[in-house]
Amino acid sequence: MKSVLLVGLGRFGKHIAEKLYELDHQVMAVDRREGRVDAVLPLVTNAQIGDSTNPDFLRSLGIGNFDFCIVAIGDDFQSSLETTSLLKELGAKLVVSRAASDVHAKFLLRNGADEIVYPERQLAEWTAIRYSADHILDYIELDDEHGIFEVHVPAEWVGKTVGELDVRKRYSLNIMALRDDGVLNLAVTPDIQIEADQTMLVLGTMKQIQKVFHI
């Protein structure tokens, strides 16, 4: 369990609060709008109505006590920038800030952000890749070159074992897991036979995955 300060309770911030609640973390939620704060009260450990650009207000929260801070402000970049900077000045261990563009990201990183998230861009990229190919069910981008894709089993692989396919040697790919009727099997061994109704989670370079699965 971690202690988290979440600043900004718009749609993005509220979704973060919901997930942190599911993961059983302790969350202090902050927004200047009373309605937004009231909306997340069932999901958080504590909540405060206040201006995160006010040093005295932030200082009263005990910034150094949180394992990490998330600046989820999306409708006011100046406030996001000031909040990020103040959090770092007040001793925040880790500051993760939301950015809407590369320019925003550069300013945030220069002013205290340790990490940047791009919710709109990341979702746009996921949507474009997910729905532009018939074979992809889901994917996670690990960096600019590597990702984990959930894909349908190619017809020519059906009935063969993982060992027979030897995708690591042939294609420089790794089969991380197999999903069968919604159940994920992470114990992938060479003797497991691939079935037509399964999907597989494959790790590799974007270029190689696109080539092998005709994406």
Side-chain angles (χ1 to χ4, degrees):
M1 180 187 295
K2 291 190 175 183
S3 178
V4 185
L5 174 63
L6 174 60
V7 182
L9 301 174
R11 284 176 293 182
F12 179 58
K14 186 178 179 182
H15 284 310
I16 293 176
E18 290 171 347
K19 192 61 183 180
L20 289 172
Y21 174 77
E22 289 178 16
L23 296 171
D24 201 29
H25 293 300
Q26 294 183 333
V27 179
M28 163 69 81
V30 171
D31 199 287
R32 64 179 65 184
R33 301 182 189 182
E34 183 177 358
R36 289 182 173 181
V37 172
D38 290 342
V40 302
L41 282 176
L43 306 171
V44 299
T45 310
N46 203 347
Q48 294 279 349
I49 303 167
D51 181 2
S52 61
T53 66
N54 184 320
D56 292 332
F57 170 71
L58 281 186
R59 190 176 290 108
S60 71
L61 302 177
I63 301 303
N65 296 323
F66 296 102
D67 293 304
F68 64 95
C69 304
I70 301 175
V71 182
I73 300 170
D75 54 1
D76 185 343
F77 178 65
Q78 184 63 35
S79 292
S80 175
L81 189 64
E82 290 181 26
T83 300
T84 297
S85 179
L86 283 172
L87 285 172
K88 209 60 182 178
E89 289 178 12
L90 293 172
K93 299 170 185 174
L94 175 66
V95 180
V96 180
S97 297
R98 174 184 182 176
S101 68
D102 289 339
V103 173
H104 285 181
K106 289 178 181 178
F107 277 104
L108 289 165
L109 288 169
R110 289 174 183 172
N111 287 272
D114 297 293
E115 301 284 346
I116 296 295
V117 292
Y118 292 86
E120 291 86 0
R121 189 174 79 176
Q122 289 164 341
L123 181 57
E125 290 176 354
W126 181 91
T127 302
I129 292 175
R130 165 66 179 84
Y131 292 101
S132 64
D134 297 332
H135 308 291
I136 299 176
L137 299 173
D138 201 356
Y139 97 102
I140 300 172
E141 182 178 307
L142 302 179
D143 59 27
D144 291 339
E145 296 184 0
H146 300 83
I148 299 174
F149 284 68
E150 182 171 3
V151 297
H152 290 292
V153 175
E156 61 271 22
W157 292 14
V158 174
K160 296 182 179 179
T161 66
V162 172
E164 289 172 336
L165 292 172
D166 198 11
V167 297
R168 181 179 297 178
K169 182 177 180 180
R170 292 183 182 180
Y171 309 115
S172 298
L173 300 177
N174 289 282
I175 299 176
M176 307 294 293
L178 294 169
R179 193 189 299 274
D180 193 351
D181 196 24
V183 179
L184 196 63
N185 177 16
L186 297 172
V188 179
T189 57
D191 60 322
I192 289 181
Q193 183 170 296
I194 304 296
E195 305 294 341
D197 56 354
Q198 293 176 324
T199 61
M200 55 177 59
L201 272 67
V202 181
L203 167 65
T205 66
M206 301 288 195
K207 184 180 295 184
Q208 193 65 9
I209 289 175
Q210 289 170 340
K211 179 181 177 181
V212 172
F213 295 99
H214 309 293
I215 298 169

